[in-house]
Amino acid sequence: MAGQNSAPSFLSFAQTALNLQSAAIFLLIFVVVLKLVRRPRNLPPGPRQWPVLGNYLALVRSGKLQHEVLAEWARRYGGVMSVHLTPARGPSVVVSDIGIAKELLQSKQRERHIDRAAIPLMKEVTDIRGSFLFGAGESAKEHRRFGLTAFRKMGVGKKSLEHRINEEARYLVERIEAEKNRPFDPSHPIHNAVSNIICSISFGFRFDYDDQKLKKLLDSLDIFSKMGIEVLGNKFPFLYYTPFFAKKRECVNFLRDTVIQIVQDHQSSYDENDLRDIIDMRIADIKEKEQQGSGLGTGPGLTEEIWLGILDLFGAGTDTTSSTLLWLISFVLKYPEVQEKIQQEIYDVVGSDRQPSCEDRPSMPYTNAVINEVQRMRPAGVFTLPYVTTEEFQLNGYTIPKGIGVIINLWAMMNDPKVWDRPDEFNPGRFLSKNGKTMIQHETFIPFSTGRRSCLGEGLAKMELFLFATNLFQLFTFKLPPGAPTPPLKGISRFTFIPEPFRVCAVKR
């Protein structure tokens, strides 16, 4: 009898336990979903969001690039709005108004409110303490101070660096001239030329355009900057160690090993009385801090502190400037009359017997206006790198909670019809005075962002864009290959915003 009674009791207990477990699972799911769908109080307005999926489906169904969709939503919901860009994640605040952006990025009062957001996949890939781009907090401020000082010492804005860029421009011209009017892909020689400027000021040497190490460096950077499965990697960083990321791991390892080897070579030949490049300057900076008791020490710690920052300069400094030069060529293929005006201005100011100089820039407003208009319509970075709030604060009448992502939509600001007359039209004249002899400065023109985390290499990029562009248009007229359509000018969004691949004929003038 006792055995007969125990069986029902056990079954009853098991059923009760199962019910409790089911209830606990249901409660957990309910809490998670509630957290995902519940909007924090007084958050900025935004488009309707689906539970868990947020606005992801709307972005995908639009068939447009993310920055374009966010700009359209900003015109509907305002210059500061909240959106859910990624499934199963909380909202982000998107800023598309220049006044609000400057308040966030320039104001000392706001300095404590936001900082660079951690990118989960990036943190999985490497230690970001030495990064100029991804670092946060006091270390990021220290790196920026060092970077600005190093660029000044390496000649940004001075004749010494101008000569270096013009020398590289000669190599670029020779490579393009060797094509002998045949159709070619301009991205390869332009990437090589721009990367060599960063190599020379960071590594102390340049690469030959046919050097296989340079090719692998640029190919690895290209794979590293592509977006796709990386979205999943940021949600589930452990995926980095799966076969899905095998190619990316291989590229990261090659980039790390290559730069670390160069850093170690610099350590072996380091002379504090002869600082050759930015690596030497960084070694000296770290050694000085070590003597003061705040350094990282020597050996692997020092190389790990340096390599990622140098890779930041190499990657960001190559992609941003080269993509703008490629956009420039794309636009003049569609608007050949613009190319003719640039060439006429170069002939009037520089002539054909010498290379252009930075001293020529003030006398060449039209060329500068064209470069500005290209950057306005197709900025190398459509967004700034992401930020995160470090405490709750009030912004434009809304409550921005701690720990929420902040996206600054540069593309929306520079294509805002309330600010720019017919922003979809390519019009260099918007940057010129009525007589065409002086440049007009627009406060909404911020292709390098603004504030304390604006582009570290802005001065270098401006020198490169002017000198490379004027050297190319002085000696070549760029034309479409016979029967080829004009470039679509739509663009591909990656780490930078790049034009679709195209081929071109460079006819010697």
Side-chain angles (χ1 to χ4, degrees), residues 150-169:
F151 274 129
R152 283 196 299 271
K153 289 181 178 179
M154 291 307 300
V156 171
K158 299 178 182 177
K159 279 286 186 183
S160 57
L161 186 55
E162 177 185 314
H163 292 324
R164 196 175 301 194
I165 296 171
N166 266 338
E167 180 184 11
E168 192 61 45

Side-chain angles (χ1 to χ4, degrees), residues 50 70 85 108-109 159 162 167 170 181 215 241 255 306 362 368 376 380 397 400 433-434 443 456 471-472 483 508:
W50 290 92
L70 293 180
L85 299 176
K108 286 190 174 295
Q109 179 186 0
K159 279 286 186 183
E162 177 185 314
E167 180 184 11
R170 288 194 289 271
N181 300 342
K215 182 179 185 305
Y241 302 101
L255 292 168
I306 293 175
N368 288 307
R376 181 194 69 81
I400 311 300
S433 61
K434 288 184 178 180
E443 73 157 350
L456 186 65
N471 270 279
L472 290 174
K508 188 73 181 292

Side-chain angles (χ1 to χ4, degrees), residues 151-418:
F151 274 129
R152 283 196 299 271
K153 289 181 178 179
M154 291 307 300
V156 171
K158 299 178 182 177
K159 279 286 186 183
S160 57
L161 186 55
E162 177 185 314
H163 292 324
R164 196 175 301 194
I165 296 171
N166 266 338
E167 180 184 11
E168 192 61 45
R170 288 194 289 271
Y171 286 112
L172 175 60
V173 164
E174 288 175 6
R175 176 52 58 95
I176 293 176
E177 193 172 9
E179 299 294 343
K180 300 186 181 300
N181 300 342
R182 295 171 300 202
F184 71 102
D185 180 353
S187 65
H188 300 301
I190 286 176
H191 272 90
N192 290 347
V194 175
S195 68
N196 264 337
I197 300 302
I198 297 295
C199 288
S200 66
I201 65 177
S202 298
F203 303 156
F205 59 84
R206 66 178 297 278
F207 289 96
D208 183 82
Y209 288 5
D210 296 318
D211 191 293
Q212 289 304 302
K213 181 172 283 189
L214 176 63
K215 182 179 185 305
K216 192 168 182 181
L217 276 169
L218 294 176
D219 287 347
S220 297
L221 277 173
D222 183 61
I223 292 171
F224 185 66
S225 66
K226 285 180 178 177
M227 302 302 292
I229 194 173
E230 287 72 19
V231 175
L232 279 178
N234 279 320
K235 182 62 182 172
F236 307 106
F238 68 86
L239 290 176
Y240 180 70
Y241 302 101
T242 68
F244 295 109
F245 282 83
K247 187 65 176 177
K248 193 169 287 282
R249 286 199 308 274
E250 178 186 335
C251 292
V252 170
N253 291 337
F254 174 76
L255 292 168
R256 177 192 286 113
D257 293 346
T258 300
V259 178
I260 283 180
Q261 182 59 59
I262 294 172
V263 172
Q264 289 174 340
D265 291 343
H266 275 65
Q267 286 180 267
S268 300
S269 57
Y270 173 75
D271 180 354
E272 63 181 8
N273 297 312
D274 180 23
L275 302 184
R276 301 159 291 186
D277 46 45
I278 290 179
I279 291 180
D280 274 356
M281 291 179 191
R282 191 62 178 147
I283 292 174
D285 184 63
I286 292 175
K287 285 181 178 294
E288 180 181 350
K289 288 182 172 57
E290 178 189 336
Q291 291 173 356
Q292 296 170 353
S294 58
L296 293 177
T298 57
L302 188 143
T303 57
E304 285 295 327
E305 170 72 4
I306 293 175
W307 87 268
L308 184 56
I310 297 299
L311 185 61
D312 283 346
L313 300 180
F314 181 77
T318 296
D319 276 357
T320 52
T321 302
S322 58
S323 64
T324 302
L325 288 170
L326 291 169
W327 277 119
L328 175 59
I329 295 174
S330 298
F331 273 99
V332 300
L333 290 176
K334 185 169 183 177
Y335 304 101
E337 69 278 8
V338 171
Q339 181 170 215
E340 292 173 6
K341 291 180 181 179
I342 292 174
Q343 290 171 329
Q344 185 61 51
E345 188 172 66
I346 293 172
Y347 179 79
D348 292 341
V349 176
V350 181
S352 56
D353 297 330
R354 67 173 176 87
Q355 281 187 284
S357 164
C358 286
E359 293 179 353
D360 298 318
R361 285 175 69 182
S363 304
M364 300 179 67
Y366 185 78
T367 301
N368 288 307
V370 172
I371 293 172
N372 280 13
E373 181 68 347
V374 169
Q375 290 182 293
R376 181 194 69 81
M377 292 193 72
R378 298 295 183 268
V382 291
F383 305 117
T384 65
L385 287 172
Y387 291 91
V388 65
T389 58
T390 53
E391 60 181 55
E392 182 179 294
F393 62 97
Q394 298 296 309
L395 180 66
N396 210 41
Y398 301 108
T399 302
I400 311 300
K402 179 180 179 180
I404 196 172
V406 178
I407 298 169
I408 310 294
N409 192 343
L410 300 178
W411 191 90
M413 297 174 202
M414 294 190 291
N415 287 272
D416 186 348
K418 291 186 296 184

Side-chain angles (χ1 to χ4, degrees), residues 441-467:
Q441 302 298 323
H442 295 277
E443 73 157 350
T444 318
F445 178 68
I446 51 170
F448 300 99
S449 188
T450 185
R452 69 186 189 279
R453 295 302 294 261
S454 61
C455 177
L456 186 65
E458 179 177 349
L460 173 62
K462 288 179 176 179
M463 289 183 70
E464 290 178 294
L465 287 172
F466 178 79
L467 292 173

Side-chain angles (χ1 to χ4, degrees), residues 21-47:
Q21 185 180 31
S22 300
I25 293 173
F26 174 79
L27 181 62
L28 177 62
I29 294 173
F30 176 77
V31 170
V32 171
V33 172
L34 183 64
K35 184 176 180 181
L36 290 172
V37 301
R38 186 178 63 185
R39 288 172 60 86
R41 183 170 51 86
N42 197 32
L43 201 63

